[in-house]
Amino acid sequence: MSSDRSGSAIHVVAGAVIDAEDRVLIAQRPPGKHLAGGWEFPGGKLRPGEDRRAGLTRELREEIGIEIRTPRPLLRLRHTYPFGEVLLDVWVVRHYLGEPQALDAQALRWCTQAELESTQLLPADAPIVAALRLPERLIQASTSHYTVADASALTPDGRLRGVFCTSRREAQEAVAEGAEFLVLRGAASRGEISALCAAVSVPVYARDLALEEAWTLGASGISEIAD
């Protein structure tokens, strides 16, 4: 469990590990654990006071034997199971050393995105599958998987819904109204970006930053959509 928790929620870090063929790794929970037999993204509980990236690095080393580099923040979500509430902190891991191995008596499986969408993942993990369709760099405002618009123009159509915003208040209001990711309309200071990313649970796209710096601040990527 982690000291970074609200109420009694268990803070869990998980990695969507992606290989050179764009396949995503999932793990089956071994016998003797909660939800044994269910498929999930590898990871585990943070230790008290542990940094989120440090916890992810440790968990993936202990569970599947890889050393990760520059993980990309994706989203944070909450789910209530019979044993309690889980705060799932999800990262995309494309850069790592070593070959994933089953070090925790769990089965491992590589899936294409299409296979992942038809796999019976644990209930808390389902929203992650859709979010994995979001790119690191947003170049288009609309694709077959997502659309970005002003909050007033946001309409449900089966795609992930992104909202342009200019402040933390706008961002929080947009998330409350159903935005599934946020795109900063203009440049913001690093402190503002970090604070916004900490305040919301959905992916955030910053502007005028290098990718790895954006990830360090908590953003999921950068926007190159023309104003």
Side-chain angles (χ1 to χ4, degrees):
M1 296 186 186
S2 166
S3 59
D4 181 10
R5 51 195 289 182
S6 175
S8 58
I10 302 168
H11 195 158
V12 171
V13 284
V17 179
I18 301 177
D19 70 4
E21 299 176 31
D22 267 348
R23 298 178 304 171
V24 184
L25 185 70
I26 55 175
Q28 189 174 38
R29 293 184 64 80
K33 291 194 173 184
H34 286 303
L35 307 170
W39 289 91
E40 63 180 354
F41 297 93
K45 299 176 187 176
L46 281 181
R47 292 172 176 169
E50 188 174 33
D51 174 80
R52 296 157 59 215
R53 285 182 182 81
L56 180 69
T57 299
R58 176 185 54 76
E59 282 290 341
L60 295 188
R61 181 192 303 122
E62 294 174 354
E63 189 171 332
I64 56 175
I66 63 173
E67 292 293 334
I68 67 173
R69 301 287 186 271
T70 59
R72 169 192 168 205
L74 188 63
L75 76 166
R76 298 189 298 275
L77 53 92
R78 291 177 180 270
H79 188 85
T80 301
Y81 285 109
F83 57 82
E85 185 182 32
V86 171
L87 169 61
L88 191 56
D89 198 326
V90 187
W91 303 69
V92 177
V93 178
R94 285 186 175 272
H95 308 290
Y96 57 91
L97 299 176
E99 187 66 27
Q101 306 169 59
L103 301 180
D104 195 24
Q106 77 278 44
L108 299 179
R109 176 185 170 193
W110 288 103
C111 297
T112 64
Q113 186 77 32
E115 290 168 342
L116 194 62
E117 290 170 353
S118 62
T119 298
Q120 292 296 315
L121 294 168
L122 294 180
D125 289 14
I128 302 169
V129 178
L132 285 173
R133 291 285 193 181
L134 291 171
E136 297 173 353
R137 298 174 184 270
L138 285 182
I139 299 172
Q140 299 171 276
S142 181
T143 71
S144 59
H145 301 301
Y146 69 82
T147 184
V148 190
D150 292 324
S152 59
L154 194 65
T155 56
D157 62 4
R159 295 180 291 175
L160 283 173
R161 296 171 293 167
V163 169
F164 289 112
C165 59
T166 58
S167 68
R168 182 166 31 162
R169 178 179 177 181
E170 280 186 8
Q172 291 174 307
E173 289 175 351
V175 172
E177 293 172 5
E180 292 165 300
F181 65 101
L182 302 168
V183 181
L184 294 181
R185 188 178 290 282
S189 73
R190 285 156 180 75
E192 289 170 333
I193 294 169
S194 180
L196 189 154
C197 292
V200 299
S201 58
V202 301
V204 174
Y205 287 82
R207 295 188 70 91
D208 302 329
L209 291 175
L211 268 175
E212 290 188 13
E213 184 175 13
W215 297 340
T216 299
L217 295 173
S220 189
I222 58 175
S223 171
E224 297 174 353
I225 300 173
D227 291 333

